[in-house]
Amino acid sequence: MIRSLVVVLAALSCGGLSGPVQAQGLETAALAALPAPRLVFSPEEMELAQAVSGFPGLADFYGANGLKPVFLGADGAPLRAALIGAIRSAGEHGLPAKRYEAAKLIRLDDAPEAGLATELSFARVFARWAHDVSGGVLDPQKVDTGIKRSVTRRSTGDLLRDFVKASDPAAWLAGLAPHDRDYLALQAALKDMSAFAAPAGTPRVPKGTWREGSKGEGVVLLRERLTAIGFDAAAQGDPALFDGALRDAVAAFQDQVGLPADGVAGPMTVARLNRGLGPEAKGIVVALERLRWMNGHDLRSRHVWVNLPSFTATIREDEIAVFSTRVVIGKDEADHETPEFSEHMKHVVANPRWNVPRSITVKEYLPRLQANRHAVSHIDVVDRAGNVISRDRIDFRNYSAANFPYRMRQKPSDDNALGVVKFLFPNPWNIYLHDTPTKHLFSRSSRAYSHGCIRVGRPIDLAHELLKGQFADPEARFSRALASGRESYLNLSDPLPVHLVYFTAYPDENGAIRRYGDIYGRDARVHAALVKAGL
């Protein structure tokens, strides 16, 4: 606590910390590298410094801002109004509304004497909202081991500085969320599903029958839920009394949802009022979160998009698919699931050699070689230097999976496991796209059969498409590379972003939502994590 406080005060004394220190997080800054802090502070400044010392991003901002509040008084009114307006749109983004404490901020905004508690409440909600809407609620790598995606986020201090300086704070906040066509289409679909469904966190109406003249807490909750859905049920007097205005609001709701419009909130009406979003909405809510994780990528520029649940790979430009092919992905097994991440494709390789992954070598091939040293004879055994070793010189029975000292490698050939071409985007998991001699799997509707890499249904066409613009005649250039019979690297002059993604609900080019199976169960885990976060 003392260390964090010193960091805040040091930031004040030097007008804010340097960019690299901010980027690493204030809590990691070495005290020895900081200038001597100012030692005299007003009680109000000291109180604010102590209050934000446990929040690095806010400590950064307020330390650089002279420990002065920004949300209080007339000058802070536009910021307060903009933030309240933004968090009221949480449901439109599939975000858990209760995380942003809208009712509390509205109450504080109306308070005649606002102080430090109000400043901190608005600042903390800003930090949470900006974090969530711009890059997602969750840390994807903590949700599932198959999600390797890193989220690009700006620091809270930088965000709050820009927000305070914005000429239109509301528009600035609106710009934090993704604005690509697919995100907007998912929002529109969620809005359609959300019609007549109260926002998350709205109290449910207790079971019973409520009619004009009824009185009690159930009437208050009925009035609150109708209002949350968009039906004006403002009380004419006592909010606990079922009055004529509430009768009219109930009747209007009944009419809109296809129930008899008698103005009586009986069991069917109460059940319909209490109903939230259906299960179809889960995929859309998760898809919105997943797109927020990708908010740091330019999805309008040319890129390769591999959606694992749909078993497809596309090349997209300006949000339009210019090429598409079926793919086979990793099996639904712990060691073979294809991970999610983004990288840059750098090489198209004709006539690739297959360097057999060690996991396949020791788990699948070594037991066969121990039984028969001439098994899998189409694959060479090589030493660490890459020299082919005669199998007659090796007693495979002397080795185990832990100490097997050799690698296995398949030469370019018609039956090579990688086919005639592979597409490399270097990554720590050694995942890539490639051709395959096993073509029959592409006719199946569910195509999870590989060890993790991605087999491509139209590999030659994909190679031609990737080489467009790099060669005057990409087809001829690739054909010459194939005809050589040698492994040949065709390097992309402009590495192309590749996104391995996982969307079970996603809009097609007409905006209609397409549904796919949750093959690895990842969406269920993401949704469960969102629920835990307050969804």
Side-chain angles (χ1 to χ4, degrees), residues 447-502:
R447 297 185 289 277
Y449 294 102
S450 81
H451 285 84
C453 285
I454 300 158
R455 305 173 190 172
V456 180
R458 297 170 55 202
I460 305 299
D461 294 337
L462 176 59
H464 294 165
E465 184 66 33
L466 290 170
L467 296 173
K468 275 184 179 178
Q470 186 158 326
F471 300 103
D473 189 342
E475 290 87 349
R477 180 66 184 86
F478 185 72
S479 293
R480 287 198 301 274
L482 278 182
S484 73
R486 301 186 304 274
E487 185 175 64
S488 303
Y489 276 66
L490 302 174
N491 300 329
L492 300 183
S493 54
D494 293 315
L496 191 64
V498 178
H499 304 296
L500 305 190
V501 298
Y502 192 102

Side-chain angles (χ1 to χ4, degrees), residues 238-251:
D238 183 356
L241 176 65
F242 196 124
D243 53 25
L246 184 54
R247 177 202 61 215
D248 293 342
V250 170

Side-chain angles (χ1 to χ4, degrees), residues 230-434:
F231 292 86
D232 184 13
Q236 297 171 330
D238 183 356
L241 176 65
F242 196 124
D243 53 25
L246 184 54
R247 177 202 61 215
D248 293 342
V250 170
F253 170 78
Q254 291 168 326
D255 181 63
Q256 289 292 314
V257 300
L259 294 173
D262 58 9
V264 176
M268 291 180 63
T269 299
V270 169
R272 183 62 180 84
L273 275 167
N274 285 336
R275 195 171 80 188
L277 295 176
E280 298 84 3
K282 289 183 179 180
I284 293 178
V285 168
V286 171
L288 288 166
E289 173 74 358
R290 287 182 173 280
L291 276 180
R292 288 190 289 269
W293 295 344
M294 303 187 70
N295 202 17
H297 298 281
D298 180 6
L299 298 183
R300 293 180 176 84
S301 66
R302 181 176 168 90
H303 62 268
V304 179
W305 181 267
V306 183
N307 187 22
L308 305 180
S310 67
F311 308 105
T312 57
T314 59
I315 295 179
R316 308 200 312 180
E317 294 180 7
D318 296 323
E319 303 182 296
I320 300 296
V322 298
F323 173 86
S324 184
T325 179
R326 293 184 171 198
V327 298
V328 171
I329 67 170
K331 302 173 187 176
D332 180 17
E333 298 176 5
D335 295 335
H336 299 314
E337 291 183 2
T338 303
E340 304 167 47
F341 62 92
S342 294
E343 257 303 341
H344 283 80
M345 185 174 292
K346 297 180 178 179
H347 314 288
V348 175
V349 186
N351 303 312
R353 294 185 297 180
W354 181 39
N355 294 299
V356 182
R358 182 165 180 84
S359 60
I360 298 177
T361 296
V362 299
K363 291 180 181 179
E364 299 184 21
Y365 291 162
L366 180 57
R368 296 170 64 182
L369 292 167
Q370 290 171 333
N372 175 8
R373 69 175 61 200
H374 298 295
V376 291
S377 58
H378 60 293
I379 300 179
D380 293 329
V381 179
V382 299
D383 62 17
R384 289 186 174 89
N387 301 307
V388 177
I389 306 300
S390 170
R391 297 177 182 218
D392 293 331
R393 294 170 52 190
I394 305 171
D395 187 347
F396 294 98
R397 294 170 297 180
N398 290 335
Y399 300 106
S400 67
N403 66 7
F404 188 59
Y406 302 103
R407 297 185 294 113
M408 300 190 73
R409 184 179 65 202
Q410 187 179 15
K411 294 187 290 289
S413 62
D414 292 339
D415 64 348
N416 185 287
L418 305 186
V420 299
V421 60
K422 68 178 178 180
F423 309 90
L424 297 183
F425 39 102
N427 59 84
W429 308 282
N430 199 29
I431 298 296
Y432 47 88
L433 277 69
H434 64 86

Side-chain angles (χ1 to χ4, degrees), residues 156-189:
T156 298
D158 286 344
L159 289 167
L160 190 47
R161 273 184 280 274
D162 287 352
F163 176 55
V164 169
K165 292 185 297 185
S167 58
D168 186 342
W172 187 90
L173 284 174
L176 288 177
H179 281 82
D180 58 273
R181 185 194 64 181
D182 293 337
Y183 191 85
L184 297 177
L186 288 165
Q187 280 191 295

Side-chain angles (χ1 to χ4, degrees), residues 14 46 50 113 144 234 245 263 294 308 323 487 513:
C14 63
M46 201 65 188
Q50 290 174 328
E113 295 183 6
D144 186 279
M294 303 187 70
L308 305 180
F323 173 86
E487 185 175 64
I513 304 300

